[in-house]
């Protein structure tokens, strides 16, 4: 992982950060310390970019229910909301991401979103903000899908079906599914924000640990196909997906066919090919628009997704008409 986003305040209004605007926060109620400070220090110590999630909706605040029809309640609540955002972006050093959520029940004018963002950029000139205070922001946030949005975007997804920890939710996504979602995000120029719902004691569920460890191991060997990649104009495959970095096409083989893999619609000359994880050269030939890798192991070299890196003479772009190919015996 390259960055983290912490839920500083969710819809129920409890703040994990030190706030002078409420006593409904971790230093005053609960653990007795500023958890946002712990988080920021820990993330920075590992070289990670730091982000805060902040829910605009607040069930705990007495004015939130009345902001739509009561001007006095709206003024008090917006002063509270803008004030807390100011605290988050003033008290923890450099912050890289502000992740708004749930602008209910007001519109952008009601939230004073233009004013809100001006304050944010004055406090943190290099920060990026999402689009959930009802302005365009710096990036869009499709949820529980890897369907690309226009412009810069980031998919936010859960590891099972729940955003928070739920003891009965055992529908964990497999490491293979997580890797495939990550590949789809990278292919279409997006980032991948994967949620962890801690248990009541703050620990990460064992199932999440196992999955994250497996995906981390895959990235250690295959990260070149993800980190620093650009939007790939090579979207289609029968058994594979694709990412691109410069003129290198990364063929992510989801369903290993055996000793031969064929890619259709290849419009540029390939200079060399190798298994990304090991660097082992891969024999290949080009026949028309078909790129045929041969002499591969009978079983997939990687338990999750095997990646073949093909170095091309120019940016790999797929001819969609000839992208679907029949298996070659």
């Amino acid at each position: 992982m390259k960055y983290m986003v912490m839920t500083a305040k969710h819809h129920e209004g409890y703040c994990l950060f030190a706030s002078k605007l409420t006593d409904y926060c971790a230093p005053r109620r609960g653990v007795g310390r500023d958890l946002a400070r712990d988080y920021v220090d820990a993330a920075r110590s590992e070289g990670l970019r730091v982000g805060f999630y902040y829910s605009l909706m607040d069930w705990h605040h007495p004015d939130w229910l009345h902001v739509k029809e009561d001007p006095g309640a709206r003024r008090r609540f917006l002063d509270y909301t803008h004030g807390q955002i100011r605290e988050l972006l003033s008290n923890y050093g450099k912050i890289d991401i502000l992740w708004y959520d749930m602008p209910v029940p007001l519109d952008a004018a009601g939230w004073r979103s233009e004013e809100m963002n001006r304050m944010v950029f004055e406090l943190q000139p290099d920060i990026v903000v999402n689009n959930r205070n009802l302005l365009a922001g710096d990036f869009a946030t499709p949820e529980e899908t890897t369907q690309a949005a226009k412009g810069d975007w980031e998919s936010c997804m859960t590891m099972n079906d729940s955003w928070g920890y739920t003891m009965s939710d055992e529908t964990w996504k497999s490491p293979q599914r997580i890797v495939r979602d990550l590949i789809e995000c990278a292919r279409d120029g997006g980032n991948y924000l994967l949620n962890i719902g801690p248990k009541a004691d703050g620990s990460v569920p064992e199932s999440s640990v196992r999955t994250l460890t497996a995906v981390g191991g895959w990235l250690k060997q295959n990260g070149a196909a993800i980190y620093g990649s650009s939007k790939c104009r090579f979207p289609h495959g029968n058994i594979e997906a694709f990412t691109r970095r410069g003129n290198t096409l990364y063929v992510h083989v989801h369903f290993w066919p055996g000793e031969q893999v064929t890619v259709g619609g290849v419009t540029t000359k390939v200079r060399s090919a190798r298994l990304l994880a090991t660097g082992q050269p891969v024999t290949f030939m080009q026949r028309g628009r078909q790129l045929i890798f041969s002499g591969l192991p009978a079983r997939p070299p990687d338990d999750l997704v095997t990646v073949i890196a093909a170095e091309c003479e120019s940016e790999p772009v797929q001819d969609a008409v000839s992208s679907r190919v029949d298996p070659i015996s």
Side-chain angles (χ1 to χ4, degrees), residues 82-326:
H82 285 233
Q84 285 205 322
I85 293 172
R86 178 176 290 277
E87 288 178 324
L88 279 170
L89 300 185
S90 300
N91 298 338
Y92 300 97
K94 181 176 172 60
I95 302 299
D96 301 293
I97 304 160
L98 179 59
W99 218 100
Y100 299 116
D101 199 17
M102 277 294 176
V104 177
L106 302 173
D107 58 13
W111 285 108
R112 304 195 325 244
S113 293
E114 294 278 3
E115 175 188 337
M116 184 185 294
N117 277 5
R118 280 197 301 273
M119 172 187 67
V120 167
F121 293 124
E122 286 172 3
L123 294 170
Q124 298 281 345
D126 298 325
I127 201 169
V128 293
V129 301
N130 73 349
N131 61 347
R132 293 199 182 187
N133 70 344
L134 302 178
L135 299 180
D138 295 303
F139 62 98
T141 55
E143 187 166 323
E144 294 288 27
T145 177
T146 56
Q147 181 66 45
K150 292 182 179 179
D152 292 324
W153 61 281
E154 169 198 77
S155 173
C156 56
M157 296 186 73
T158 55
M159 296 193 70
N160 48 7
D161 288 337
S162 306
W163 287 104
Y165 176 71
T166 304
M167 186 180 297
S168 61
D169 185 356
E170 292 293 335
T171 53
W172 298 99
K173 296 178 178 68
S174 68
Q176 289 91 340
R177 164 70 188 278
I178 299 294
V179 166
R180 289 173 188 174
D181 287 344
L182 176 61
I183 292 165
E184 289 184 4
C185 290
R187 177 195 65 197
D188 293 328
N191 283 349
Y192 188 38
L193 187 65
L194 183 62
N195 180 73
I196 299 169
K199 295 164 71 172
D201 63 359
S203 63
V204 178
E206 292 80 3
S207 295
S208 296
V209 173
R210 288 193 295 271
T211 296
L212 292 170
T213 300
V215 175
W218 184 87
L219 279 166
K220 282 183 178 180
Q221 293 187 311
N222 298 285
I226 302 296
Y227 304 128
S229 60
S230 302
K231 190 171 183 178
C232 184
R233 293 191 292 165
F234 209 103
H236 299 294
N238 291 333
I239 60 172
E240 63 276 287
F242 306 95
T243 58
R244 175 183 72 88
R245 187 172 181 175
N247 292 340
T248 305
L249 178 68
Y250 296 100
V251 183
H252 302 259
V253 186
H254 292 333
F255 306 102
W256 194 256
E259 297 178 0
Q260 187 165 285
V261 171
T262 302
V263 178
V266 181
T267 61
T268 186
K269 184 176 180 180
V270 176
R271 292 174 170 172
S272 63
R274 70 189 189 280
L275 293 176
L276 182 58
T278 64
Q280 177 183 343
V282 172
T283 301
F284 69 94
M285 64 172 290
Q286 290 183 265
R287 188 170 67 188
R289 296 281 171 101
Q290 291 185 342
L291 171 60
I292 305 165
F293 301 108
S294 60
L296 297 168
R299 299 185 59 80
D302 195 294
D303 291 336
L304 299 184
V305 175
T306 297
V307 185
I308 301 172
E311 304 294 340
C312 303
E313 284 193 343
S314 59
E315 178 186 339
V317 177
Q318 188 178 54
D319 173 11
V321 174
S322 59
S323 65
R324 301 295 182 181
V325 298
D326 294 325

Side-chain angles (χ1 to χ4, degrees), residues 8-27:
K9 184 192 75 143
H10 206 251
H11 313 331
E12 85 295 331
Y14 183 73
C15 303
L16 299 189
F17 60 98
S19 178
K20 294 180 179 179
L21 302 175
T22 181
D23 65 354
Y24 196 50
C25 59

